[in-house]
Amino acid sequence: MSTTHHQPQGDVLPTEDHPVCTDLKPTNTTTPAHPEQAPAEPPTPSNTATARVTKTVLRTIAGHTLPGLRHTWAALHHWTTLAYMSDEEIRRRLVKRHLDTYVEQRDDITRQIEQTSKKTRKLARDAVDFGLTREDAKRLKDLGAELQLRRTAGTALTQIKFDVAGAQPSTAQVRRFRTLRALGRFAGVLVPATATTLGVILAAPVAGLVAVPVFAGAAWWLGRHPLTLTTRPLPADLTGPRELEPPKTPAAAESAASSGAAKEVPEEVIRLDAALTAAGLLAKGRGLDIIEAPDFSIGNGYTLVADLPKGGGKLVRDVLNKLDVIAGELGRPPMQLVIREVPGSEGGHGRRMRLWEAETDPYLAVGHATSPLTDAETWDFWSGTPLGQTVQAERRTLPTEFGGGFTSHFFSGIMRFGKTAAMRLDVAAGLLDPGVRLYLANGKAGVDWRAAAEVAHRFTEGTDDAGLAAFEALLDELVDDMNTRYRDLGDLAHLVPDGRLTPDLARNHHLPVLLAAIDELQLYLLALPPKRRDRALEKLKNLLRAGPAAGVFLVVGTQRPDGEEVPTGFRDLFGVRVSVRCLDSRSSRMSLGDLASDAGADASVLTEDHIGVVVAATGHRWEILSADFLRLSDFAAICHRARRLREQAGTLTGDAAGQPRISEPREVRAVRACLTALDDLDTDRARLETLADAIGDDTEFEDIDKTQLGTLLRKAGCGPAVSIGAVDGLKNARGYKRTALEDALDSAT
């Protein structure tokens, strides 16, 4: 029996990837082995075509999406394991953590110092204006102690430099950083994202039908446009700070030394040279000649001593004139750049300067010391006035005499910055010397000077009519006392070889120093009529010119001293000028004078934080000082102590001793002036208009009108104007007769 192979039916051909196998069956088999099962039907041509197309599509999709999926997995692995970060970047990031902590601690202590300092300044400002209660005084003391502790901590932290070598991480720390960051990204990003996607697909099949083609399309696109998986360059924030640079190895340092490398120029000098060059003070390619290298031992920035190069024609005064430009180039406020010419006594010359670039404002950091006058029983006014301290806590005293006599003090600047408080130091020093007689006039009636009334020889305040009259009377008395003093010195010619008052003469011959303190002078000058103001200024100038040798000493305070309110010719007569903050350089020049301003003095660099910080100038020499602190309560105690000293020494005089200057009221002086006018007119009667015109010519009654004069005459007891007959072409004129004026004068005197 023969058998034949049954040929496969259909046109599905075997392929290399998908072989098709057929069963061998005998040709004579007519019944199935199992009659209960029906034979399978052969596939139809349409089914085989659909299967072939489906397989082809799936094969095509897989061929395009699998590379994209593999690249997606590689990109996720690259991101998760931080493969894009080099070990050097991770090292710098770990070092930056330590650096940020260091900077944060330093900034935090600086912020605390600033906050405490603002509280202290506010309380000090209130003390200047209103005085302090016992609780406020305790709080101010506690704040001062707290501020000192914080400044000490800040100084200590500033002196501790960032330890670059100690902050360097080990290889194991770098590896641990990478591992922990990878675990965090896997657990915090990939797992939640995958779970969320699967949950959405299972919960919403429609979303799955949409998501599959979207993911397939994205995978296909990534397969055609693969991402570049490389190590990125260092980010900009990790290449700036020099502390993040890798430390030099000993081998590299030894190699640089053996190669004869030049000595490295300090970075501070390089920055300073660049700033001076930008300001036009150094030629390009030229630098400062360093005399003393940068010294950081002061704890607040650094100091150095340097010479400007020869041949450039520049002096230290040129540097001072461009202080604001240099400070701006260095990235510092002008108050944090202190430049002084080294004096000849210390080996200096016009090109040699001492510079201090401070990290914090040194004038705020030094604070305000309590005035030594607070607890002093007595004080020698001839030795000067203790004013304050420099940024290096060096004491400074305002001179009260040099060049053969006293030199008066001029205080100015805008209000509420401690001008009057600085003046009080001058007056307090004079009060504690029983050989000083005080004449005090305060144009602004207030509490600033009221405590001095119990010890002042003359005391007046306010600019009403009575206040102006008292001010002019005070000047008249001063001039009279000065003239009397010169007559007294003439009688003692054998004891006055230099023609001036000396300390021995003052103490042994009862010739007190005549201290005249005038605060808010501009208020008096603005309130006085023009001719009276001119006379007052002429008296003040006379006291400044002729007074020093006779022991007359003026302490004058005013706000912005422009040419109209306080003339330049008057200001230039003062030997010492002190200014608090000014709003601009022009005002500062008016306050401090041309000599000091040309030498670099500028009170406009003081900011709103510099309350009680002053610029003191004597000629061309000047210095910025933190003025001593003298509370109103302390000043009142000094006044009380000064009165006791004068009572013991027998030098309490004038208003304080119940000996007021006898001066006629203004209405009585008006009657006298009218009588003088009648004499000049050679008549015994005159109209009110005629009298007003006559007495208004070059007298204190300048520009008085008939209404004002009538008021004064009625107040003096002259009664109202009456009929005086035919006068000035009028048949029945009204005015005053001589007899009415004389009767009123007799009654008043």
Side-chain angles (χ1 to χ4, degrees):
M1 183 177 319
S2 64
T3 61
T4 60
H5 292 284
H6 181 71
Q7 295 295 328
Q9 297 180 1
D11 54 358
V12 179
L13 299 176
T15 62
E16 181 179 358
D17 295 333
H18 304 278
V20 179
C21 298
T22 59
D23 293 334
L24 297 178
K25 298 183 181 182
T27 57
N28 58 353
T29 303
T30 59
T31 59
H34 303 282
E36 69 274 11
Q37 296 180 356
E41 294 182 2
T44 63
S46 61
N47 291 337
T48 57
T50 301
R52 186 171 65 251
V53 171
T54 302
K55 292 177 181 180
T56 302
V57 171
L58 292 175
R59 190 166 56 247
T60 302
I61 292 175
H64 286 85
T65 58
L66 285 175
L69 291 173
R70 286 193 296 269
H71 185 73
T72 302
W73 174 255
L76 287 174
H77 184 271
H78 187 80
W79 175 77
T80 306
T81 60
L82 277 71
Y84 61 89
M85 283 191 188
S86 65
D87 287 349
E88 173 62 17
E89 179 178 343
I90 293 177
R91 183 197 69 79
R92 289 179 180 242
R93 288 189 180 280
L94 293 174
V95 175
K96 192 172 185 299
R97 285 185 183 178
H98 296 287
L99 179 60
D100 290 344
T101 301
Y102 169 80
V103 173
E104 183 179 357
Q105 291 175 346
R106 188 180 61 189
D107 293 345
D108 184 59
I109 190 66
T110 302
R111 184 166 53 255
Q112 292 176 3
I113 292 173
E114 180 63 22
Q115 291 174 351
T116 308
S117 181
K118 283 184 178 180
K119 293 179 183 178
T120 305
R121 291 196 300 273
K122 182 179 183 302
L123 202 55
R125 189 187 302 120
D126 293 342
V128 170
D129 294 337
F130 311 110
L132 287 180
T133 63
R134 180 172 300 178
E135 292 76 10
D136 289 340
K138 183 178 183 303
R139 185 184 172 202
L140 181 62
K141 181 179 180 182
D142 294 340
L143 281 175
E146 180 183 352
L147 181 60
Q148 186 61 38
L149 289 175
R150 293 189 186 281
R151 283 175 175 161
T152 303
T155 301
L157 188 61
T158 303
Q159 291 177 341
I160 300 174
K161 301 301 180 181
F162 180 68
D163 186 7
V164 178
Q168 299 302 314
S170 63
T171 304
Q173 289 174 318
V174 173
R175 188 165 54 249
R176 185 182 306 114
F177 177 89
R178 195 186 295 275
T179 302
L180 293 176
R181 186 64 63 88
L183 290 174
R185 291 185 174 184
F186 179 78
V189 179
L190 295 183
V191 172
T194 304
T196 301
T197 303
L198 292 177
V200 171
I201 293 174
L202 294 176
V206 176
L209 293 176
V210 176
V212 169
V214 172
F215 290 155
W220 175 83
W221 190 88
L222 282 175
R224 298 292 299 272
H225 305 83
L227 300 175
T228 302
L229 305 179
T230 59
T231 302
R232 70 182 181 186
L234 289 173
D237 63 326
L238 297 180
T239 58
R242 60 182 179 179
E243 291 88 353
L244 302 183
E245 294 296 330
K248 294 182 179 180
T249 61
E254 183 178 354
S255 173
S258 61
S259 62
K263 184 178 180 181
E264 183 179 0
V265 179
E267 180 183 355
E268 292 75 19
V269 176
I270 296 175
R271 291 173 58 247
L272 185 57
D273 285 344
L276 292 172
T277 302
L281 298 167
L282 290 179
K284 287 189 176 181
R286 301 200 66 180
L288 294 171
D289 298 327
I290 304 302
I291 307 302
E292 296 179 8
D295 180 8
F296 293 86
S297 62
I298 59 175
N300 182 11
Y302 69 90
T303 61
L304 62 78
V305 177
D307 284 352
L308 292 165
K310 292 182 179 179
K314 300 296 183 183
L315 301 175
V316 178
R317 69 168 67 104
D318 300 311
V319 177
L320 292 170
N321 288 334
K322 292 194 173 183
L323 181 64
D324 54 342
V325 179
I326 301 170
E329 291 292 329
L330 292 173
R332 300 285 190 188
M335 292 298 292
Q336 290 178 217
L337 192 63
V338 184
I339 300 177
R340 293 288 182 270
E341 179 181 331
V342 178
S345 59
E346 300 177 16
H349 45 74
R351 292 184 297 106
R352 180 162 295 180
M353 64 179 177
R354 177 175 285 105
L355 177 141
W356 179 6
E357 183 183 350
E359 293 181 356
T360 59
D361 192 319
Y363 300 100
L364 297 180
V366 72
H368 299 281
T370 300
S371 173
L373 300 171
T374 302
D375 300 321
E377 285 298 323
T378 60
W379 195 266
D380 181 8
F381 187 68
W382 294 81
S383 65
T385 299
L387 179 63
Q389 55 187 349
T390 68
V391 289
Q392 288 147 344
E394 298 173 343
R395 297 293 308 169
R396 290 292 184 267
T397 298
L398 283 184
T400 52
E401 66 156 343
F402 58 77
F406 278 119
T407 178
S408 295
H409 296 172
F410 183 73
F411 293 79
S412 57
I414 62 177
M415 61 187 300
R416 295 189 63 82
F417 277 86
K419 168 177 57 66
T420 299
M423 285 183 63
R424 273 202 295 267
L425 297 171
D426 247 353
V427 175
L431 290 178
L432 290 176
D433 188 335
V436 173
R437 179 186 294 171
L438 175 64
Y439 300 73
L440 198 149
N442 178 20
K444 179 182 67 176
V447 300
D448 292 334
W449 296 104
R450 200 154 292 166
E454 69 169 316
V455 69
H457 177 76
R458 295 286 176 248
F459 179 87
T460 181
E461 57 182 358
T463 56
D464 55 8
D465 288 343
L468 292 177
F471 172 67
E472 292 176 295
L474 181 148
L475 295 181
D476 290 337
E477 184 174 359
L478 266 173
V479 173
D480 292 342
D481 289 347
M482 178 184 69
N483 294 332
T484 301
R485 176 64 50 81
Y486 273 116
R487 289 194 296 270
D488 293 340
L489 291 176
D491 296 336
L492 301 172
H494 60 290
L495 299 175
V496 194
D498 297 329
R500 65 181 180 90
L501 186 69
T502 63
D504 289 338
L505 277 174
R507 291 168 183 141
N508 298 327
H509 290 80
H510 306 291
L511 299 174
V513 175
L514 308 179
L515 171 61
I518 306 172
D519 196 10
E520 305 296 352
L521 173 65
Q522 82 283 353
L523 296 181
Y524 283 117
L525 298 181
L526 288 173
L528 288 169
K531 291 184 178 179
R532 291 172 64 187
R533 179 182 63 203
D534 292 342
R535 284 196 298 274
L537 275 173
E538 194 58 38
K539 293 172 186 175
L540 287 169
K541 290 179 182 179
N542 189 25
L543 290 169
L544 286 169
R545 294 189 192 102
V552 178
F553 187 96
L554 265 66
V555 178
V556 174
T558 181
Q559 294 181 21
R560 185 179 185 269
D562 60 18
E564 295 181 1
E565 296 179 3
V566 184
T568 302
F570 172 72
R571 300 193 307 266
D572 288 344
L573 294 173
F574 288 87
V576 175
R577 300 198 192 186
V578 179
S579 177
V580 296
R581 184 189 179 212
C582 291
L583 292 179
D584 50 49
S585 298
R586 182 170 175 268
S587 298
S588 174
R589 180 173 287 272
M590 292 179 184
S591 298
L592 298 173
D594 292 337
L595 287 177
S597 298
D598 291 341
D602 188 357
S604 67
V605 302
L606 301 175
T607 69
E608 59 274 8
D609 292 327
H610 295 106
I611 299 172
V613 177
V614 302
V615 182
T618 304
H620 69 282
R621 297 185 179 275
W622 63 277
E623 202 163 17
I624 301 180
L625 304 172
S626 179
D628 289 340
F629 187 64
L630 183 64
R631 292 190 295 264
L632 275 175
S633 58
D634 293 332
F635 181 69
I638 289 174
C639 293
H640 184 70
R641 199 156 61 244
R643 180 182 178 91
R644 188 175 66 250
L645 289 172
R646 282 162 176 73
E647 288 174 342
Q648 294 172 353
T651 57
L652 187 68
T653 59
D655 294 345
Q659 303 165 355
R661 180 183 175 91
I662 299 176
S663 58
E664 293 178 331
R666 191 163 186 255
E667 58 269 19
V668 176
R669 296 199 301 274
V671 174
R672 289 189 183 279
C674 289
L675 288 170
T676 302
L678 291 177
D679 291 340
D680 294 339
L681 295 172
D682 193 22
T683 182
D684 64 345
R685 67 195 64 195
R687 298 169 57 217
L688 197 58
E689 294 89 336
T690 304
L691 291 174
D693 291 340
I695 70 172
D697 184 19
D698 195 26
T699 71
E700 67 170 298
F701 301 102
E702 175 191 12
D703 298 330
I704 193 171
D705 57 29
K706 65 176 185 178
T707 301
Q708 295 170 338
L709 179 58
T711 301
L712 288 175
L713 293 181
R714 286 194 298 273
K715 188 177 180 180
C718 299
V722 298
S723 176
I724 57 175
V727 176
D728 295 339
L730 298 176
K731 293 182 179 180
N732 192 19
R734 296 184 66 83
Y736 285 92
K737 297 180 180 179
R738 179 186 292 274
T739 54
L741 297 175
E742 290 176 343
D743 290 343
L745 184 61
D746 291 339
S747 298
T749 56

